[in-house]
Amino acid sequence: DSKNLLVAPNGSPLNERQREYVANVICGRDVVLIGAAGTGKTTAVQASMKALLALGLVGTIPKAALKHIYAENAPSMIACAFTNRAARNIATKLPAGMEQNAMTHHKLCEYVPVDKNSAEAKRFVPSRNPKNPLPDLDVVFYEEASMMDYTLYKIQEAAYSPARRPTEVTLGDMYQLPPIFGPSLLAMKLLDTPVIELTEVYRQAMDSPIIRLAHAIKDGVAISPLKRGDYTKPGE
């Protein structure tokens, strides 16, 4: 039943824009999903992964085909992020057994030192490239894409299997920090990829003082000393 695929992990229905996003992903369309904190991006991504698996729309990665995936028959979709912290956070949200499918760009492209026995050991290069491409991947989710340098994305794109270009799902928040160098992947994807923006902030999200503070800053709300208690938890 397709309706059962359009629900959040807690069983509640997705909103209209979340459903639109899931429909694009299962149809194999590249898409950008943006939204401020608390608008349900993670929920939508979880629903899209669940739908891809349930409908049999992703294959498997052969064992040992990727250095950092050890499981047999891991689904051929990767959640990629720029930082280890982001990758670890994503891993906790993936379907059971897919924790290894969340990794940094550098792990996916298997960076290695240029020369272990010289000063060049401090410089790393991707061992995955057009001459040594990645195995076939069906879907790649670029998490926290505002933080990823577009140059790194192009390195990864060049390493994809020539036999199969994955569907690319770019996720992010335009109010987050940009990368240290160069334009962000999110900024570049916004120029040439269909965009779905989530705008409904869920009540449960606003129970978090961190998210309330983030939205106050985003909206330019002045926070007086008397109001600071609104953004803390009792006892903290």
Side-chain angles (χ1 to χ4, degrees):
D1 186 348
S2 61
K3 291 183 178 179
N4 292 331
L5 299 177
L6 299 176
V7 296
N10 63 5
S12 60
L14 302 180
N15 64 40
E16 181 180 356
R17 290 182 179 177
Q18 288 173 323
R19 293 196 301 271
E20 179 187 358
Y21 155 78
V22 173
N24 274 271
V25 174
I26 63 178
C27 287
R29 303 188 189 108
D30 288 1
V31 64
V32 174
L33 182 69
I34 59 173
T39 55
K41 293 191 300 297
T42 298
T43 295
V45 170
Q46 289 174 309
S48 65
M49 289 183 171
K50 176 184 174 183
L52 288 166
L53 293 170
L55 295 171
L57 295 176
V58 292
T60 57
I61 299 172
K63 188 176 181 180
L66 281 175
K67 182 178 179 180
H68 297 284
I69 291 186
Y70 314 105
E72 291 190 44
N73 300 319
S76 59
M77 55 183 175
I78 297 292
C80 182
F82 178 66
T83 66
N84 269 316
R85 180 181 291 274
R88 288 195 298 269
N89 288 340
I90 296 161
T92 65
K93 310 294 184 183
L94 297 184
M98 275 190 59
E99 294 80 8
Q100 293 176 356
N101 288 58
M103 63 184 72
T104 64
H105 153 81
H106 296 88
K107 281 188 175 180
L108 178 61
C109 291
E110 299 175 6
Y111 277 64
V112 294
V114 174
D115 184 346
K116 293 182 179 180
N117 301 313
S118 75
E120 284 290 274
K122 295 182 179 180
R123 187 165 70 90
F124 287 71
V125 294
S127 60
R128 294 293 188 164
N129 51 56
K131 293 182 179 180
N132 179 35
L134 293 162
D136 290 352
L137 299 173
D138 289 299
V139 189
V140 175
F141 296 84
Y142 292 98
E143 294 273 0
E144 307 287 2
S146 65
M147 298 174 63
M148 185 171 179
D149 180 355
Y150 189 67
T151 301
L152 295 180
Y153 161 74
K154 296 302 288 185
I155 290 171
Q156 185 168 315
E157 183 185 44
Y160 286 140
S161 166
R164 182 188 299 273
R165 179 190 177 279
T167 299
E168 294 185 326
V169 180
T170 307
L171 309 155
D173 180 348
M174 293 191 296
Y175 298 98
Q176 288 181 329
L177 293 172
I180 298 173
F181 299 105
S184 75
L185 170 59
L186 179 61
M188 300 303 289
K189 286 288 188 178
L190 287 171
L191 299 175
D192 60 10
T193 306
V195 178
I196 296 172
E197 182 176 10
L198 302 181
T199 57
E200 179 182 345
V201 181
Y202 286 87
R203 179 188 58 78
Q204 298 93 324
M206 293 304 281
D207 288 341
S208 164
I210 294 175
I211 292 182
R212 289 201 304 274
L213 181 59
H215 279 273
I217 294 170
K218 175 179 73 70
D219 297 335
V221 175
I223 302 171
S224 70
L226 295 177
K227 291 287 186 178
R228 288 177 186 169
D230 294 344
Y231 304 100
T232 60
K233 291 183 178 179
E236 295 184 0

